[in-house]
Amino acid sequence: TGSGASCTSGGKTFYETCLVKETCIEGSWTGGGYVSAYYPNFTYIRPYCTTQTGKVLNLYATCTSNTEGVLGRCYGKRQCPGNVGQQNNGSTTACNCDGQKWFDKCSDTCNLNGSNANGGSCGAYQTSPSAAPKGYYYVKDKCTTSNGEVVRYFGLCNGTDCEGNKGPCYGKTQCSSGTIAVDPCTCGNYTYGSSCVVKCPYEQTAVDCKAGQSFTQRCKDNAGTWYGECK
């Protein structure tokens, strides 16, 4: 290839200097293969070219390439976050190549394991904060799965969460249907109270009874007033 000042004459170009272009270059890549005099981390294929100084360079298949039908030692495998993965046979031993670890599939480190910390506990659920499981409230995001789904921590409405925070209805009792919550608190689609009293379906009291009627006690309210029947 020409170099330096040039001069054109008779349809030809003349240069001050002519340089010989080296086409056999060590460290180059070609068709998914790697060209080098020696590279033990990759899979040897064949001699590839000879430099102008007589140095023979070889062609190698990289860790995961298919070059000229030769497969790299970890062909078809992938790298995983935190090097946590497994092979198709269930083994968690990595395929090591070029100082890196390769697996058939990655193990998702973002799981649904809950947390016991700071004197409390949290459950882990793959749901939105507004769709908290019954009896739970949103605490914080835990992690994101490899599929992009967010896993979040949720604490018990009447307990202490894994951040050490007391729930919105801390220390109260969940009141079942058919009962009335005293000092009510609602959280996680449940109603809680400092206590739960049974609903009294009767409306008459002793003062409602007329002459000749007797009063039968049935139930009383939280203030201690008895309700029942006048007969």
Side-chain angles (χ1 to χ4, degrees):
T1 183
S3 178
S6 63
C7 172
T8 301
S9 176
K12 295 182 179 181
T13 302
F14 299 84
Y15 296 88
E16 284 186 327
T17 306
C18 292
L19 302 177
V20 178
K21 186 176 181 179
E22 178 64 86
T23 57
C24 185
I25 302 173
E26 188 164 10
S28 61
W29 298 82
T30 176
Y34 184 70
V35 178
S36 176
Y38 178 66
Y39 204 86
N41 292 330
F42 292 161
T43 304
Y44 171 81
I45 298 176
R46 61 177 176 83
Y48 183 71
C49 59
T50 303
T51 68
Q52 294 179 35
T53 60
K55 186 176 183 179
V56 176
L57 303 184
N58 301 312
L59 180 63
Y60 294 86
T62 60
C63 295
T64 58
S65 72
N66 178 351
T67 305
E68 296 187 354
V70 177
L71 305 182
R73 68 176 68 173
C74 300
Y75 176 75
K77 300 183 187 294
R78 68 188 69 181
Q79 292 180 286
C80 296
N83 288 324
V84 180
Q86 57 183 318
Q87 311 303 347
N88 288 332
N89 62 5
S91 171
T92 56
T93 302
C95 175
N96 295 292
C97 178
D98 203 28
Q100 298 173 316
K101 298 179 183 296
W102 307 81
F103 301 88
D104 287 322
K105 53 188 175 181
C106 297
S107 300
D108 208 331
T109 56
C110 183
N111 52 45
L112 297 180
N113 294 338
S115 172
N116 294 311
N118 301 311
S121 63
C122 291
Y125 300 91
Q126 195 170 299
T127 187
S128 66
S130 61
K134 288 186 176 181
Y136 287 83
Y137 67 97
Y138 169 72
V139 177
K140 66 176 184 177
D141 288 0
K142 177 186 178 183
C143 55
T144 302
T145 68
S146 57
N147 294 327
E149 299 291 337
V150 179
V151 176
R152 298 177 173 90
Y153 279 133
F154 293 84
L156 283 170
C157 291
N158 59 346
T160 302
D161 65 34
C162 53
E163 293 286 282
N165 302 312
K166 294 180 178 179
C169 302
Y170 176 76
K172 295 190 175 185
T173 301
Q174 178 188 329
C175 295
S176 61
S177 60
T179 64
I180 298 174
V182 178
D183 186 22
C185 170
T186 301
C187 172
N189 293 321
Y190 287 140
T191 298
Y192 300 81
S194 54
S195 62
C196 304
V197 295
V198 177
K199 291 182 179 179
C200 186
Y202 300 91
E203 297 182 354
Q204 292 179 315
T205 63
V207 298
D208 296 321
C209 296
K210 298 177 182 179
Q213 288 185 315
S214 63
F215 178 68
T216 302
Q217 296 178 341
R218 297 296 186 189
C219 52
K220 63 180 178 180
D221 64 12
N222 200 46
T225 303
W226 278 99
Y227 292 85
E229 296 177 286
C230 294
K231 292 184 178 180

